[in-house]
Amino acid sequence: MTPILYIVIPCYNEEAVLPITAPLFLKKLQDLIAAGKISDDSRVLFVNDGSRDETWNIICSLARQDAHFIGISQSRNRGHQNAVLAGLMEAKDRCDITISIDCDGQDDLNAMDEMVERYLEGYEVVYGVRSSRETDTFFKRFTAQSFYKLLSAMGAEVVYNHADYRLMSARVLKEFANFHEVNLFLRGLVPLVGFRSTTVTYSRAERLAGESHYPLKKMLALAIDGITSLSVKPLRLITGFGAFVAVVSFIACIWALITALCGRAVPGWASTTCIVCFVSGVQLLGLGIIGEYIGKIYLETKERPRYIISERTENMLDQSK
C-alpha cells in the first residue's frame, strides 16, 4: 500500500514567491504519485504564519484550484518553528509521512524522491543535508558552520548542515507530540525522538523571489534558543570559570597579604580597577546566562499553546466532515 505524504510548508509574507513555488510543489507531488511511490490522497499543506500580506488569500485560491493544495492559518505570527510544528501536528493523523520544507524554493525538491525511497527502505526520519554552502555569503557560511560546531561542543545532538528539510513518519510524529517544549528548536528535538534515521544530501539554490525572513537578529535568537533549549553546559562553564576565578583571587589575596607584611606594598588604583571590572563583567555575564535559562523556565511553566489555528481552507474542512 502506497503511503500518504503531506508536504508541510510554513509561509510568512510569501506573496511574492508562493505563486512561483506552489506549482513546483504540486508537480513534485504529482510526479511521486505517477511513479507509484505515494498515494493520490497526498497533499501540499501550507501553514500561514500570521502573514500581513496576501499569502492566505493565495493559499485559499490554490486550494480552490486543486484539491491537492490545502492550508491552515495561525491566529497570529508565532515564528517559523511553531508554524512547522502546527503543520506537522495537523498532518500526523491524516498521513503516513510528512516532509517539511521552506516556501522560498531554495531546497532541492528532487531530494524528496530519495527521502521517500529511504522511508520505503525502513527509515522513519530522513534529514535533508546541504552538500555545500556556495550560495551563502562568507559571513552567513562562517556563522552557520560555527553555530553547528558550537551546538556540538555544548553537547546538543544536531545533524550538521541540516535545517528543517526532513521526512518524518507518522509514527515518529505521534511520539514527537509528547514533547511539550514551548521554546522550540526542531532540528535539535527531532534527533531526541530516536527511531531509525538517515540523511540525503542536496545543493541549495538562491531564493526564487521575495526577501529572506531570517535576518541576523532572528538567526541569533534561534541560535540562543537552540543552545539553551538543548544544553545546560553554559551553566556548567560558568560554574567552572567561577571556581577558577575564585582560586586565582584566593592566591592573589595571599600574595597581597604577604607583600603587605613584608612592607613592599605599593598603593595603586589601576590594578584594583582592573580586578573589579573583570570580576564585575564575569558576574554580569554569568547572571545574563542564568537569566536566559530562568526566562525559559518561566515560559515553560505557563504552558501556553504553541500555536492556534484560526482558519482552514474549505477543502480541508470538507475532509474533516
Side-chain angles (χ1 to χ4, degrees), residues 32-274:
L32 289 169
I33 294 171
K37 293 182 179 180
I38 61 174
S39 167
D40 187 55
D41 292 327
S42 299
R43 298 289 183 265
V44 177
L45 171 58
F46 294 108
V47 183
N48 177 43
D49 188 24
S51 300
R52 296 189 299 270
D53 61 5
E54 292 298 308
T55 296
W56 178 240
N57 290 332
I58 293 173
I59 293 172
C60 291
S61 176
L62 290 169
R64 287 191 292 268
Q65 294 171 22
D66 194 300
H68 289 100
F69 286 125
I70 57 176
I72 59 176
S73 182
Q74 298 207 85
S75 60
R76 53 158 294 169
N77 176 252
R78 294 179 181 272
H80 177 271
Q81 298 290 279
N82 294 74
V84 174
L85 178 69
L88 294 176
M89 294 299 100
E90 185 77 10
K92 68 180 175 63
D93 296 322
R94 299 168 179 258
C95 66
D96 300 301
I97 49 176
T98 63
I99 294 179
S100 56
I101 186 172
D102 287 340
C103 185
D104 53 23
Q106 290 187 271
D107 296 319
D108 184 9
L109 296 181
N110 292 323
M112 290 188 185
D113 296 74
E114 190 174 353
M115 287 182 175
V116 175
E117 288 175 5
R118 297 290 85 80
Y119 167 76
L120 295 175
E121 290 173 3
Y123 292 97
E124 303 271 5
V125 182
V126 184
Y127 300 100
V129 176
R130 295 179 62 171
S131 56
S132 67
R133 286 185 170 270
E134 295 178 356
T135 57
D136 290 346
T137 62
F138 171 78
F139 177 75
K140 186 173 182 179
R141 183 165 58 250
F142 173 77
T143 52
Q145 291 174 343
S146 300
F147 168 59
Y148 285 109
K149 291 176 181 177
L150 178 61
L151 275 177
S152 297
M154 290 293 162
E157 185 180 350
V158 291
V159 178
Y160 188 72
N161 269 346
H162 163 70
D164 288 298
Y165 188 18
R166 73 179 72 86
L167 177 147
M168 298 174 69
S169 70
R171 183 184 175 198
V172 173
L173 290 173
K174 285 179 173 63
E175 296 302 328
F176 187 68
N178 295 321
F179 286 65
H180 301 295
E181 279 92 338
V182 173
N183 303 285
L184 288 174
F185 185 69
L186 296 178
R187 67 192 73 171
L189 287 175
V190 173
L192 297 179
V193 184
F195 292 95
R196 193 181 181 199
S197 65
T198 187
T199 62
V200 300
T201 57
Y202 68 96
S203 298
R204 203 160 192 253
E206 297 285 350
R207 185 181 176 92
L208 293 181
E211 298 180 354
S212 171
H213 301 300
Y214 252 96
L216 179 61
K217 182 179 178 181
K218 284 190 176 181
M219 289 176 64
L220 289 174
L222 182 64
I224 293 172
D225 277 344
I227 293 171
T228 54
S229 297
L230 298 171
S231 173
V232 295
K233 198 167 184 178
L235 296 175
R236 291 171 182 166
L237 289 174
I238 293 175
T239 303
F241 190 67
F244 171 76
V245 172
V247 170
V248 172
S249 300
F250 180 70
I251 294 172
C253 289
I254 294 176
W255 173 80
L257 180 61
I258 294 174
T259 302
L261 292 174
C262 294
R264 296 197 301 270
V266 178
W269 61 270
S271 58
T272 303
T273 302
C274 289

